[in-house]
Amino acid sequence: MNASAKELAALLPPGFTLGVATSAFQIEGALDEDGRGPSGWDVFAAKPGAIVEDQSPAVSCDHYHRMPEDVALMKDLGIDSYRFSLSWPRIQPGGSGPVNPAGLGFYDRLIDLLLENGISPMATVYHWDTPLPLEEAGGWMNRDTAYRLGEFAAIAAAAFGDRVDRWVTVNEPATVTTNGYALGMHAPGEALMLKALPSVHHQLLGHGLALQALRAANVRGEIGMTNVYSPMVPASANPLDKLSAGLMDVAQNRLYADPVLLGKYPDIIRAATFFSSSFSPSSEDMDLISQPLDFYGLNYYMPTRVASGPGEGAVPPGMAEAMGDDLSGTPGAPFHIASFPDTEHTAYGWPVKPDYMAVALAEMAERYPDLPPVYITEGGASFEDVVVRDAAADRRIIPDERRLRYLADHIGTALEATRPGGAAESVDLRGYYVWSLMDNFEWSAGYKQPFGLVHVDFDTQVRTPKASYYWLQEVIAARRAASAAHVPGAAVGQQ
Ligand code: PNW
């Protein structure tokens, strides 16, 4: 799939949502302002060595103070929808108890400004910034955190339920468990390995309780949750490689999607409750976790190639380098992540494999017969950008052709796969959100992995749209032109 802006626009079904995504902790800064409380991420990021070059999230994109400018960038881009997250420690600083009116006020202004500009708000309730008191009480290892998230969702529903069009309860519990509790590369920095299993169940329960709270408040928007999905590709036909890929598939994909969409954990996990005595999900929990969704959020970035035995890349590709630390080659590891040969890689070292976008959707359809409508809630690529001075036009140009190509190929592949006759034709694909609107604090990689359509100079806070931004703008303009040509009664086939 190698579509021009016009060709891609022609593939967009009527009503398809094109959006951009961010999360609060990654863009807002202003961590100590207007009554925000600390989060587990504030503390983790301050630990020497936790973040590349010990970079700080304290200011980041300064979005808390520049929100109107950032909404104006979205308006000029022309996108239909903006996915952002509500900062729990800004709204409810203690993680339980009193609400901070200034925190609610910020999102009130954001949501109103979006609506004034014709941009549909998609709010993520939990995108990793756990309030510190809850993290100190065990975070997601503590079942109580799930109930606290349910309460926070009720607060958010009461405040914004009349205006938010789509809700995502939790974002990527797999990344929180794997990076935060199993490997220790994200907050809270715990390296519990298999003992991190309860953090999976508690996040999924938190999703269920948040969903229940949003439904009870009768919010007007649709409700879903978001999982990351990476197709697992055995490095060879060797049965041990296949077994390894299957284990990774259970650990990274099925462990999080099966409970939500099938109402049960994968058998191999249920058989493994000996990992942790506190992991014994009741049927009441499973009922909460598998309540019907209005949509399913899928984050797709890349497939994962898996080989048996120890080797390079025991942690997600690029992460070890990003950490400036060699965590790879763990002796005795049963399997490892291998690289794809002859493949372009992003700055993170992530393989660029647009065909697997279709594989991801097809596997989802095959595994989950009752899959609700799907939004791809994130997709994008980090590439090092160069700012070029166009002296004649007196402006700066950022020719991010590789990011542009990544997005064109992935959006195009997703659309083709879900058309009649496509590899994932039964998937009701409703939209694609680009990660991210602008370069931001990429967790433990700091500011070293830019995913933005808009470049941010972190010294001056100057925003500069990249070529990929102008390309997406062109796609949206071409779609508008095509649909204007399709007024009722007009001749068909005039695109
Ligand atoms: C997501 N993987 O994390 C998060 O939702 C964002 O906050 C983050 O900035 C973005 O993707 C880019 O990293 C991911 O290993 C973490 O496949 C890991 C993976 C994918 C996404």
Side-chain angles (χ1 to χ4, degrees):
M1 183 67 230
N2 219 307
S4 70
K6 233 182 177 158
E7 285 166 335
L8 189 64
L11 281 177
L12 294 168
F16 190 86
T17 296
L18 285 174
V20 293
T22 65
S23 87
F25 190 76
Q26 293 177 271
I27 64 168
E28 287 181 0
L31 301 184
D32 298 323
E33 280 180 57
D34 294 345
R36 180 189 180 275
S39 78
W41 261 99
D42 297 33
V43 171
F44 178 75
K47 286 185 193 157
I51 311 295
V52 169
E53 295 178 10
D54 290 337
Q55 292 177 330
S56 162
V59 178
S60 189
C61 307
D62 196 30
H63 172 75
Y64 188 71
H65 298 116
R66 293 163 196 268
M67 180 270 283
E69 181 187 347
D70 294 333
V71 174
L73 281 164
M74 293 185 242
K75 168 80 175 164
D76 283 351
L77 177 55
I79 43 128
D80 305 306
S81 179
Y82 173 45
R83 175 175 178 236
F84 57 95
S85 79
L86 302 169
S87 165
W88 188 354
R90 202 180 283 294
I91 292 175
Q92 193 184 30
S96 62
V99 167
N100 173 28
L104 286 177
F106 174 74
Y107 298 103
D108 255 328
R109 294 194 299 281
L110 168 65
I111 292 167
D112 287 344
L113 197 57
L114 290 171
L115 292 172
E116 273 167 40
N117 285 285
I119 301 167
S120 166
M122 178 189 262
T124 304
V125 178
Y126 178 74
H127 199 129
W128 309 359
D129 46 358
T130 309
L132 187 60
L134 301 186
E135 195 68 87
E136 285 175 337
W140 289 113
M141 291 300 285
N142 182 347
R143 184 179 167 94
D144 183 62
T145 301
Y147 295 94
R148 301 287 77 78
L149 183 66
E151 274 176 22
F152 175 55
I155 293 166
F160 314 122
D162 57 336
R163 285 162 292 161
V164 165
D165 290 325
R166 294 175 199 116
W167 293 89
V168 171
T169 53
V170 300
N171 176 71
E172 290 194 6
T175 309
V176 172
T177 288
T178 304
N179 290 354
Y181 291 89
L183 300 176
M185 302 185 304
H186 279 184
E190 300 278 354
L192 301 169
M193 302 310 286
L194 293 176
K195 292 196 170 63
L197 201 53
S199 71
V200 177
H201 185 65
H202 297 150
Q203 285 185 87
L204 294 179
L205 182 62
H207 149 69
L209 292 163
L211 176 56
Q212 188 181 51
L214 290 164
R215 293 255 190 254
N218 254 312
V219 297
R220 56 173 282 270
E222 301 173 344
I223 310 169
M225 69 89 67
T226 284
N227 273 321
V228 60
Y229 188 91
S230 182
M232 297 297 166
V233 187
S236 79
N238 177 325
L240 283 179
D241 286 348
K242 288 191 187 170
L243 176 66
S244 302
L247 288 171
M248 272 289 275
D249 187 32
V250 168
Q252 293 300 314
N253 298 321
R254 290 186 188 269
L255 180 54
Y256 302 88
D258 285 13
V260 172
L261 296 171
L262 300 176
K264 63 186 186 74
Y265 282 94
D267 289 338
I268 188 171
I269 297 293
R270 285 186 295 167
T273 49
F274 60 83
F275 286 140
S276 161
S277 53
S278 59
F279 184 67
S280 48
S282 66
S283 61
E284 290 79 22
D285 283 9
M286 298 316 290
D287 288 347
L288 278 167
I289 290 169
S290 59
Q291 292 166 89
L293 301 172
D294 300 321
F295 68 88
Y296 188 77
L298 188 82
N299 291 354
Y300 172 81
Y301 287 89
M302 59 176 162
T304 304
R305 192 161 183 257
V306 189
S308 61
E312 274 180 55
V315 294
M319 268 294 180
E321 296 91 308
M323 298 290 294
D325 195 1
D326 189 7
L327 296 168
S328 61
T330 309
F335 52 80
H336 66 278
I337 296 168
S339 57
F340 284 91
D342 307 317
T343 298
E344 181 189 15
H345 288 78
T346 71
Y348 240 148
W350 294 2
V352 177
K353 290 281 189 195
D355 290 354
Y356 282 91
M357 173 80 259
V359 172
L361 290 164
E363 287 182 356
M364 288 299 295
E366 190 190 314
R367 290 176 184 191
Y368 308 112
D370 298 323
L371 185 67
V374 171
Y375 286 91
I376 295 169
T377 39
E378 282 178 35
S382 67
F383 285 111
E384 207 181 305
D385 292 309
V386 237
V387 183
V388 183
R389 183 109 221 126
D390 178 351
D394 189 32
R395 58 184 195 127
R396 299 172 326 149
I397 297 172
I398 300 167
D400 64 334
E401 298 302 327
R402 291 174 299 182
R403 183 176 296 103
L404 185 166
R405 190 43 54 207
Y406 179 100
L407 294 171
D409 290 348
H410 284 77
I411 299 172
T413 302
L415 291 171
E416 291 207 317
T418 51
R419 287 202 321 177
E425 61 177 338
S426 69
V427 175
D428 180 1
L429 184 65
R430 298 280 176 90
Y432 188 103
Y433 289 77
V434 175
W435 185 270
S436 176
L437 167 66
M438 55 191 165
D439 297 344
N440 58 47
F441 184 77
E442 177 53 29
W443 308 111
S444 46
Y447 301 100
K448 294 284 182 186
Q449 298 294 338
F451 279 84
L453 297 170
V454 176
H455 174 270
V456 177
D457 180 322
F458 291 102
D459 294 323
T460 62
Q461 290 299 334
V462 169
R463 276 99 163 113
T464 309
K466 306 178 191 177
S468 54
Y469 173 100
Y470 293 113
W471 163 81
L472 187 58
Q473 194 175 48
E474 212 180 305
V475 172
I476 294 164
R479 175 183 64 175
R480 204 172 294 125
S483 71
H486 281 259
V487 289
V492 285
Q494 297 279 303
Q495 317 154 308

